């Protein structure tokens, strides 16, 4: 499919095949920029679980050259302290920094916590944040703002008021969740299919560029996916 003007991040939990065999925990970070064509295909008929996140690019970077970063699970930084394991996909956690470059300031951490363990993770006060629970249960926040959550639920975190981050206490069976934070751009968003722009006119221009094979889509007419034909 064609894409323009956002970053897409994928992390797999079980085997997945794209251009090479993928294993559980592998990561790809794609910046669509001015235009890219790509294919994502499962490698077999087994159930696959993965996470995909679209991150908007600021207007000044929307026409940047496409880029692609790929890390096998063995290269994704992992650290453990006091019963908490952090897979640092983007940003920093427990003193470990991800090698992934993000044009939009972003933090993406996969935490796995042992039963009844506790985490205090800093988040810049002005950033937007949310958590998605993969398995288990736990309590997010403190005092009157504390919320309990379990698998397949999303929590939008509040910000401001000199908050120093988020505290999480794992339940009796532990918890696995992703914590995603980013710096707000303060720009309008118009999205249509795989295209993300700032105005409706820019979306229309993108469709024209794609159909006429220009401004990043010069090879679109001749591109054919090898894995899509398998």
């Amino acid at each position: 499919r064609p894409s323009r003007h956002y970053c897409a991040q994928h992390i797999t939990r079980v085997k997945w095949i794209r251009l090479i065999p993928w294993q559980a925990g592998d990561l790809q970070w794609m910046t669509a920029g001015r235009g890219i064509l790509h294919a994502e295909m499962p490698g077999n008929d087994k159930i696959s679980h993965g996470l995909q996140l679209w991150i908007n690019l600021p207007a000044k970077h929307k026409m940047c050259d496409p880029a692609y970063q790929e890390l096998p699970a063995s290269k994704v930084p992992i650290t453990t302290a006091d019963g908490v394991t952090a897979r640092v996909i983007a940003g920093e956690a427990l003193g470990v920094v991800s090698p992934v470059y993000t044009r939009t300031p972003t933090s993406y951490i996969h935490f796995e916590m042992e039963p009844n363990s506790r985490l205090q993770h800093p988040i810049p006060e002005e950033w937007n944040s949310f958590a998605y629970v993969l398995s288990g249960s736990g309590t997010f926040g403190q005092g009157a703002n504390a919320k309990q959550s379990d698998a397949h639920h999303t929590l939008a975190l509040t910000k401001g008021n000199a908050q120093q981050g988020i505290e999480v206490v794992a339940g009796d069976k532990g918890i696995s969740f992703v914590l995603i934070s980013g710096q707000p751009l303060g720009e309008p968003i118009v999205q249509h299919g795989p295209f993300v722009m700032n105005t409706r006119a820019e979306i229309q221009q993108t469709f024209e560029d794609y159909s006429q094979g220009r401004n990043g889509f010069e090879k679109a007419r001749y591109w054919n996916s090898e894995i899509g034909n398998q």
Side-chain angles (χ1 to χ4, degrees):
R1 72 182 183 193
S3 298
R4 176 177 274 186
H5 305 146
Y6 66 88
C7 294
Q9 180 279 331
H10 312 253
I11 185 165
T12 62
R13 297 177 61 198
V14 297
K15 189 172 182 180
W16 186 272
I17 292 180
R18 186 176 177 273
L19 299 178
I20 59 174
W22 278 56
Q23 304 296 327
D26 287 354
L27 163 71
Q28 65 169 332
W29 195 287
M30 182 189 74
T31 301
R34 63 200 303 261
I36 195 170
L37 292 166
H38 62 106
E40 301 157 16
M41 302 293 293
N44 50 53
D45 59 359
K46 296 181 180 180
I47 295 176
S48 296
H49 299 279
L51 299 176
Q52 181 180 110
L53 175 71
W54 286 24
I55 303 171
N56 191 27
L57 288 171
K60 64 182 180 181
H61 292 318
K62 285 192 181 297
M63 293 299 285
C64 69
D65 290 336
Y68 182 76
Q69 302 169 78
E70 183 173 273
L71 292 180
S74 61
K75 298 293 185 180
V76 177
I78 300 177
T79 185
T80 300
D82 300 323
V84 178
T85 296
R87 289 177 171 82
V88 189
I89 299 165
E92 180 179 356
L94 304 181
V96 174
V97 180
S98 169
V100 169
Y101 170 70
T102 66
R103 285 183 175 272
T104 302
T106 303
S107 173
Y108 192 137
I109 315 296
H110 178 191
F111 287 108
E112 292 182 308
M113 301 176 61
E114 295 179 2
N116 304 309
S117 60
R118 185 181 298 269
L119 166 70
Q120 181 71 44
H121 180 73
I123 301 173
E125 183 179 342
E126 70 277 10
W127 283 23
N128 292 326
S129 306
F130 72 91
Y132 177 72
V133 181
L134 299 167
S135 62
S137 63
T139 301
F140 294 74
Q142 297 175 299
N145 294 323
K147 299 291 183 181
Q148 187 169 4
S149 185
D150 52 16
H152 313 306
H153 286 79
T154 300
L155 296 95
L157 307 184
T158 58
K159 63 179 181 179
N161 299 321
Q163 296 183 88
Q164 300 301 311
I166 182 67
E167 180 176 297
V168 183
V169 178
D172 293 337
K173 296 183 178 180
I175 187 172
S176 174
F177 66 97
V178 291
L179 180 63
I180 299 170
S181 307
Q183 185 180 64
L185 299 180
E187 299 176 352
I189 297 176
V190 179
Q191 179 262 334
H192 191 115
F195 303 135
V196 182
M197 301 300 296
N198 296 104
T199 67
R200 178 58 60 184
E202 291 173 340
I203 288 289
Q204 182 61 42
Q205 182 63 55
T206 300
F207 274 103
E208 293 178 6
D209 289 344
Y210 177 62
S211 64
Q212 297 181 27
R214 66 189 185 193
N215 292 332
F217 296 112
E218 285 78 4
K219 298 181 179 180
R221 298 177 183 177
Y222 313 105
W223 182 77
N224 186 48
S225 168
E226 293 181 5
I227 60 173
N229 293 326
Q230 293 178 359

